[in-house]
Amino acid sequence: QSCAFPFTFNSVTYSACTSTNDTQSWCSPTSTYNGQRLYCTPTASVPSSTCGSSSLISPSSCSQTVPSNVLQFLFTPCTIGTVRSISPVYGPAGTSVTITGTDFSTTTCENIVLIGSSYKCPITSATSTQITCQIGTSSSLNAKSIQSFNVIRDRQGTLSNDGLIQFQFQAKITNVSPLQGSTAGGTQITITGDGFIPSDTRVIVGSIEYTSFATITYSQIQFITQQPPSDYIDHLIPITILVGENSAICSSVSCNFTWAQSVTPYLVSVNPTSINGPQTLTLMGQNLATSNSITTADIHVTIGGEQCNVTSVSNSSIICDIGNIQVGDYSVVASID
């Protein structure tokens, strides 16, 4: 329905909307008011912006005709601007993206840069033809697939880009710790970064797949190394993180791991070698406590399946107390958390 101009209400003729006997502007859909009202909304304005300033559309700047009937709505590409390009078109968290186009708001908070379906890229500057935003960490963007890219004028609508502007978000590795570990395996590796999608992320060291053994969150991956092939020992072996088919970029000091003999802990002797009751044992070796953070609680020693209580540890020795065990020859097994 549309307004019937002129219309008569209470013996008065109106040729435009009126707020008589109402709190809103209205009109009658019939030439003589019969109790039905249509409420009128100005075509040249939109609600106030959420950031506190007034946002106005100027249909008069368009070549198209503005509807004369206030209850009609004109969809026109010239009431909202256009996104023409973005640069770069790919990048990880921390990337600054420059958007060029027309009719951006010079009030920064009236622009919304939407990457994918829901991520609002924080805007750092805005002019009528250029916006810059910087992708933050923990954005939840999926590096597996290309993301849509849109600019929205607050409460006015999405600027035209013909669906051709897209952005490829990239996962990023920011740190790998430690960078080397025992040739026997058992080293816990922690990879920190951004953009790891648990259901879509693969973890590969050299040719060894660790995905099924890894704990993966959006910002961290943890796994424990296996004993490597002999030709991996004392070599830099690349760590590859794939999100979908896309490799995470490396911004760490190194994205390699080394199974290194120089840090591999090993035992060379135990003293005494025979006991006939509870006894204190001294285990000699190398690389038993390469870090000051390693304490007796991190060292585990068993003899014949019985726990030997560790009382002291240094880089070259472990001292532990063993209780009564059955007669026999046993291997001494030590491990370090």
Side-chain angles (χ1 to χ4, degrees), residues 27-108:
C27 68
S28 171
T30 57
S31 58
T32 300
Y33 179 69
N34 62 4
Q36 184 180 8
R37 296 183 182 185
L38 301 178
Y39 287 98
C40 307
T41 302
T43 59
S45 66
V46 294
S48 295
S49 167
T50 54
C51 58
S53 59
S54 176
S55 301
L56 295 178
I57 298 175
S58 300
S60 59
S61 65
C62 303
S63 60
Q64 293 161 285
T65 302
V66 177
S68 59
N69 189 323
V70 294
L71 292 182
Q72 292 179 336
F73 187 86
L74 176 64
F75 287 93
T76 170
C78 57
T79 56
I80 294 292
T82 300
V83 178
R84 291 179 174 167
S85 67
I86 63 172
S87 180
V89 295
Y90 58 86
T95 299
S96 289
V97 182
T98 299
I99 306 115
T100 58
T102 61
D103 294 329
F104 301 150
S105 175
T106 55
T107 302
T108 299

Side-chain angles (χ1 to χ4, degrees), residues 141-185:
L141 288 170
N142 193 334
K144 179 181 179 180
S145 56
I146 295 175
Q147 306 292 310
S148 60
F149 196 102
N150 290 288
V151 176
I152 301 169
R153 282 285 297 271
D154 189 27
R155 299 197 178 191
Q156 293 186 20
T158 302
L159 278 66
S160 172
N161 69 17
D162 297 325
L164 301 178
I165 308 297
Q166 296 178 315
F167 185 82
Q168 176 64 66
F169 178 69
Q170 295 176 301
K172 176 172 68 173
I173 300 171
T174 56
N175 189 61
V176 177
S177 179
L179 294 175
Q180 54 184 5
S182 171
T183 59

